[in-house]
Amino acid sequence: MADRSYLDWPFFEPRHRELAASLEAWCKANLPVDHADVNAACVSLVRMLGKSGWLRHSGADAGETLDVRTLCLIRETMAGYDGLAEFAFAMQGLGMGAVSLFGTPEQRLWLEKTRSGAAIAAFALTEPEAGSDVAAIATTATPALGGYVLKGEKTYISNGGIADIYLVLARTGEAPGAKGLSAFLVPATSPGLEIVQSIDVIAPHPLALIRFTDVAVPRAALVGKPGDGFKICMSVLDIFRSTVGAAALGFARRALDETLRRVKARKAAGTPLAELQMVQGHIADMALEIDAAALLVYRAAWKKDSGAARISREAAMAKLFATEAAGRTIDMAVQLHGGDGVRSGMVVERLYREIRALRIYEGASDVQRLIIARSELS
Ligand SMILES: Cc1cc2nc3c(=O)[nH]c(=O)nc-3n(C[C@H](O)[C@H](O)[C@H](O)COP(=O)(O)OP(=O)(O)OC[C@H]3O[C@@H](n4cnc5c(N)ncnc54)[C@H](O)[C@@H]3O)c2cc1C
């Protein structure tokens, strides 16, 4: 197995090391689950993660903060065993992130349900004509009858179709662009909320296009203040972008573990692949990319947990580097597995498909570059 001494780094406290050890044991005993029906698998994973107590870490009570190192360790560890389990955990946190940070006592009742595994959460920002450019969001929330009426479409919504509660960003029009958006908590049972289409992707998970046709929500559904939706969502992404980097790290570590086993066992010209210097060079590069990614991920998480109000620069660096580096590491793992690397059912083949979307969602790699450059130039 690849080196795991990073847990000794000063970024962590004893409670993090204890959590990582007990989660590792839990994952070994319970994962992976059968993915034949991804929607059913995700529902069952949420229930399992709730029952086992891991989802308690996906939200924060009023006056508390989300512990980003804990979120990262959980995503990293689960990613090494089962990408769908990692996804199920992450979405409970992301979907309810705005409520953890800014929710009213009434909205926090949903958080209780998502943290126990009784309810499933989703985060709905992206639209057919507004992805990277969040300021172009066209879904409207018009004040009416003591609340709002939502109209529009959201696409690529993870957990779309199985979620019980959606955090939706919609235009309330206080100002042009990003300053005229507000965040709403919308139950899946709301009349007018419709799953238009399931979306198939290379690493299947619940994903859908959702339509809101005159969906009425009470004023109490508004998270934070009118016009603060963009700011709220960026605060949530500030936390969860580092955790995307952590998930990438988990996939990359698994790829290295698989590769170490493979190159020791597989022979070429009478010698194990592991004894060929060019193979050793690739192993060194994989280990180096993993450690560099881990340093950036846990630096960002530690900084947030140490009280920094925003960590946009550090989170962007963590997400950008860790997801790109994991892509390179897994690609090399496939290469070193030879033909078996691209064979359906092989772990590295699955990792190769699973890592790709992480460079796109929650801000594509070039969007992270823009955030870093703006911070350097300011
Ligand atoms: C598997 C998966 C799960 C997802 N889950 C969710 C979810 O749960 N909730 C949700 O709201 N969304 C979700 N998304 C959507 C995701 O966040 C968007 O796909 C992403 O933000 C990119 O938007 P887009 O697809 O519209 O691409 P576009 O905005 O069209 O961008 C395409 C490419 O153009 C380039 N680009 C765009 N803007 C810039 C710029 N300003 N500067 C430089 N280059 C730029 C980048 O290379 C980018 O990759 C998910 C997507 C995937 C693939």
Side-chain angles (χ1 to χ4, degrees), residues 315-334:
M317 285 185 172
K319 182 183 186 281
L320 172 62
F321 187 84
T323 58
E324 297 274 345
R328 292 188 291 270
T329 298
I330 294 168
D331 186 66
M332 184 48 69
V334 167

Side-chain angles (χ1 to χ4, degrees), residues 128 153-156 194-197 199 207-211:
E153 280 186 352
K154 296 284 176 184
T155 191
Y156 287 108
E194 178 195 356
I195 306 299
V196 179
Q197 186 193 6
I199 303 171
L207 199 64
L209 168 65
I210 301 169
R211 184 172 300 141

